[in-house]
Amino acid sequence: GNSVTQMEGPVTLSEEAFLTINCTYTATGYPSLFWYVQYPGEGLQLLLKATKADDKGSNKGFEATYRKETTSFHLEKGSVQVSDSAVYFCALTDGSGNTGKLIFGQGTTLQVKP
Amino acid sequence: DGGITQSPKYLFRKEGQNVTLSCEQNLNHDAMYWYRQDPGQGLRLIYYSQIVNDFQKGDIAEGYSVSREKKESFPLTVTSAQKNPTAFYLCASSTGGAGTDTQYFGPGTRLTVL
């Protein structure tokens, strides 16, 4: 079945540093790819998504490109802020039919220091 | 405001007791999902429903039950058969079951078994 692997955290950066969180996947067919963010004590919010190869999702300064050749969907931001501190989840569709089911990575904790 | 509500935010139960977690959405979404989140493990799918009066087991359904009698409601019952029920439970919904659909999450319920 489909699966996703994220880089382990925690990731600690200084404010205005460049961020990369790696995400790779294995899948049959053509899954959709997502990045969700979870702030402390809250549910998940969609950050960005891409539904086909070479698509770039972007939101709030974050970007990720759907790379089929490297089966990757790395999250990047050019200059992080303290308010970006959160847990980031990479996810992809299950692939077992049109169910909308998502498979999540284990999450990567980002801490940004002033 | 449209969204997903979960109640209660914190829930304590004694061993051997069943407990029901509420999930309500006013987004007019057809599909609803229940996930369990444990530290460092990402999210795992418990049950999902793509339409009223129908639902399917996810990856970790043992010890849980659900109902979908109304489009806007998808309650989850954690039964005494669930061996390790202490976790953070997240409900989500999407417009349909398509793989490109975004899932919208509620704020979660933290269940602790005493």
Side-chain angles (χ1 to χ4, degrees), chain B residues 1-19:
Chain B
D1 281 344
I4 301 177
T5 57
Q6 291 185 244
S7 60
K9 189 172 178 64
Y10 299 96
L11 188 57
F12 299 89
R13 101 164 193 210
K14 295 180 180 179
E15 279 194 35
Q17 289 181 335
N18 292 355
V19 62

Side-chain angles (χ1 to χ4, degrees), chain A residues 36 38 43-44 49 93 98-100, chain B residues 37 50 97-100 102-103 106:
Chain A
Y36 281 86
Q38 184 179 35
L44 276 67
K49 71 178 184 181
T93 44
N98 206 22
T99 64
Chain B
Q37 185 178 20
Q50 294 182 282
T100 57
T102 297
Q103 289 189 19

